[in-house]
Amino acid sequence: MITEPLVLCQYCDDVRFEINNKISYIGVFNSELRITGKLPVTIPKIVASASVLLPLDFKLDSLQFQLNWNGKIIQDVSLPSSECQQIVAEASTKSTKHGVEPRGLHFQCALAVTPFIVDAAGVLRFDALINGIQHKANSLMVEIAEVQPAVRAVAN
């Protein structure tokens, strides 16, 4: 049973929401992104796909999603109150199907940055402001790898 809001995020190159209710994640990052080359580096697209989990009896009044790069908000999306009510109603209906014991409400959100320009090492983080309270999801660490000089073997 979910007792408080929880936000989890997957960072990847792209997300596709399929017609059969399947989500495809393309180029998934495993907690860090290593950049090689001279800065700044342009990444054509990066997507933060978040799962928001709420208790069954949660009263959702406001919902806002933010994507932060090194503490600076680069995406900010707010949902109207009427849409929040619709989300909870739809999630509640789905959670009671097929005789499965409902444990909470679950919905998805994806924020894309096109292009994502990396000018330094840092942290990309998804936040959900649920009823005005900030819930931080897991982050993607962006590291700059040192370029190793090419080594050539010469026969004597």
Side-chain angles (χ1 to χ4, degrees), residues 32-33 42 62 64 72 79 85-87 100 103 115 122 126 128 132 156:
E32 74 177 39
L33 163 61
T42 300
S62 67
Q64 183 177 355
K72 179 184 174 195
L79 298 180
Q85 305 305 320
Q86 183 179 353
I87 287 170
V100 175
R103 293 187 274 167
F126 183 97
N156 286 339

Side-chain angles (χ1 to χ4, degrees), residues 8-116:
L8 301 170
C9 192
Q10 189 70 60
Y11 299 90
C12 51
D13 291 329
D14 202 3
V15 174
R16 296 187 187 136
F17 293 91
E18 310 287 346
I19 58 173
N20 59 357
N21 205 30
K22 178 173 63 173
I23 300 172
S24 295
Y25 297 97
I26 294 89
V28 177
F29 295 103
N30 186 19
S31 76
E32 74 177 39
L33 163 61
R34 284 199 185 113
I35 302 289
T36 56
K38 186 177 178 201
L39 297 179
V41 171
T42 300
I43 298 173
K45 183 178 188 180
I46 193 161
V47 180
S49 179
S51 290
V52 178
L53 302 151
L54 299 173
L56 284 169
D57 59 351
F58 195 82
K59 182 172 175 2
L60 184 62
D61 296 318
S62 67
L63 187 56
Q64 183 177 355
F65 302 119
Q66 294 179 335
L67 195 56
N68 298 276
W69 170 239
N70 285 338
K72 179 184 174 195
I73 297 171
I74 58 173
Q75 290 270 355
D76 192 352
V77 178
S78 296
L79 298 180
S81 180
S82 60
E83 207 166 316
C84 292
Q85 305 305 320
Q86 183 179 353
I87 287 170
V88 170
E90 287 177 12
S92 297
T93 302
K94 289 179 182 178
S95 68
T96 58
K97 285 185 179 178
H98 309 293
V100 175
E101 177 190 353
R103 293 187 274 167
L105 306 175
H106 172 240
F107 56 94
Q108 294 285 135
C109 169
L111 296 179
V113 179
T114 308
F116 179 52

Side-chain angles (χ1 to χ4, degrees), residues 133-147:
I133 299 171
Q134 183 182 42
H135 296 271
K136 296 178 181 180
N138 50 302
S139 301
L140 178 68
M141 305 301 292
V142 179
E143 299 195 2
I144 311 303
E146 292 183 32
V147 178

